[in-house]
Amino acid sequence: MEFKIQQVPERKVAGFHMVGPWEKTVHQGFEQLALWVKSQKITGSEWLAVYYDNPDEVPAEKLRCDTVLSVPEDFVVPENSEGVITTRIEAGLYAVARARVDDNDFAKPWNQFFDSLAAGESYQLTGKPCFEQYLNDGSESGVWDIDMYVPVADKR
């Protein structure tokens, strides 16, 4: 899988922190996020899922993720926004790859991406949270276009 290395700016984000199997919690988190965005008339430029754990090392019921959207620096969570958090995605050096997800199989492109990163000799994983940005709404079609971001450090 082709990827590029780029410096990514910090993002302030707002949304929901979820714990459990990602195939359930990410979907549930985005449903909650969509309802919150609609009810509060929130505008955000990017819809993101942030992944904190390695599913090969952490049991599914303990996997953590945030389903969020990027918000302006001066954003304040409105009243009646139960469960909504604000947090930041760190700035830094990231490997970035674009993928098309069919049949909601998000694991497949991520696995391919990590295999490609492991095969390279110039960069190593940092262990910091990864995230994906949704480029379209595939909830009806089951086809999603995403950009995947993995924090890396130069091996040289």
Side-chain angles (χ1 to χ4, degrees):
M1 171 177 280
E2 288 186 32
F3 62 89
K4 59 188 173 195
I5 303 296
Q6 67 185 56
Q7 187 68 31
V8 174
E10 182 179 74
R11 290 166 163 84
K12 181 175 183 179
V13 294
F16 295 91
H17 181 70
M18 311 297 288
V19 178
W22 286 335
E23 60 273 7
K24 291 181 182 176
T25 56
V26 174
H27 178 73
Q28 179 186 356
F30 277 117
E31 284 183 343
Q32 287 178 256
L33 187 63
L35 288 171
W36 175 67
V37 164
K38 187 176 180 182
S39 70
Q40 297 291 341
K41 297 176 179 54
I42 304 292
T43 56
S45 57
E46 303 170 311
W47 288 64
L48 310 162
V50 183
Y51 301 101
Y52 292 93
D53 302 302
N54 179 339
D56 294 334
E57 298 172 0
V58 176
E61 66 275 4
K62 294 185 178 184
L63 290 172
R64 299 169 298 152
C65 72
D66 293 339
T67 53
V68 294
L69 70 158
S70 59
V71 293
E73 201 54 44
D74 61 353
F75 178 82
V76 177
V77 176
E79 289 185 34
N80 300 319
S81 295
E82 188 175 332
V84 173
I85 61 160
T86 58
T87 187
R88 295 184 179 281
I89 297 174
E90 269 187 47
L93 198 61
Y94 285 78
V96 183
R98 182 159 288 178
R100 175 157 279 191
V101 176
D102 294 309
D103 298 323
N104 293 314
D105 186 2
F106 285 84
K108 183 178 179 181
W110 276 103
N111 289 332
Q112 291 171 341
F113 188 19
F114 280 112
D115 289 346
S116 296
L117 285 169
E121 297 182 14
S122 300
Y123 295 93
Q124 62 189 8
L125 304 181
T126 65
K128 293 180 181 177
C130 304
F131 67 97
E132 62 196 10
Q133 177 184 359
Y134 298 85
L135 305 175
N136 69 316
D137 180 355
S139 54
E140 295 293 321
S141 67
V143 178
W144 303 84
D145 292 311
I146 62 171
D147 282 343
M148 301 175 288
Y149 292 78
V150 176
V152 295
D154 199 328
K155 280 186 183 177
R156 294 170 263 167

